[in-house]
Amino acid sequence: MSRRPEIIDAKTIMADYHLKKHDAYRILHNADCPVLTGGSGGKFLVERSAFEAYLFRGRERVKE
């Protein structure tokens, strides 16, 4: 059985990536951001793996 992708919202993005509300929504409003739904009063939803790929594109992520 295939595993469903994890879908996150703006509040989760703010908490998990330590972003201020303004910064999280600025990223989500970017045309390149892989948002599934959102804008115009809708709730922003994005797949976590796609969001991380977008957020860390062009950078090698340091393993903790």
Side-chain angles (χ1 to χ4, degrees), residues 6-64:
E6 184 179 5
I7 306 299
I8 56 176
D9 62 5
K11 286 185 180 182
T12 303
I13 289 169
M14 288 183 272
D16 290 359
Y17 302 98
H18 308 288
L19 295 171
K20 294 180 181 176
K21 184 176 183 177
H22 170 80
D23 295 327
Y25 280 100
R26 184 176 49 84
I27 291 168
L28 290 168
H29 278 283
N30 190 316
D32 295 340
C33 188
V35 173
L36 300 172
T37 63
S40 300
K43 186 173 186 175
F44 282 94
L45 297 175
V46 63
E47 184 182 335
R48 182 183 293 275
S49 61
F51 181 75
E52 286 183 350
Y54 168 76
L55 193 62
F56 298 112
R57 71 180 184 266
R59 291 181 231 157
E60 196 172 314
R61 191 161 183 201
V62 177
K63 297 213 180 214
E64 297 177 7

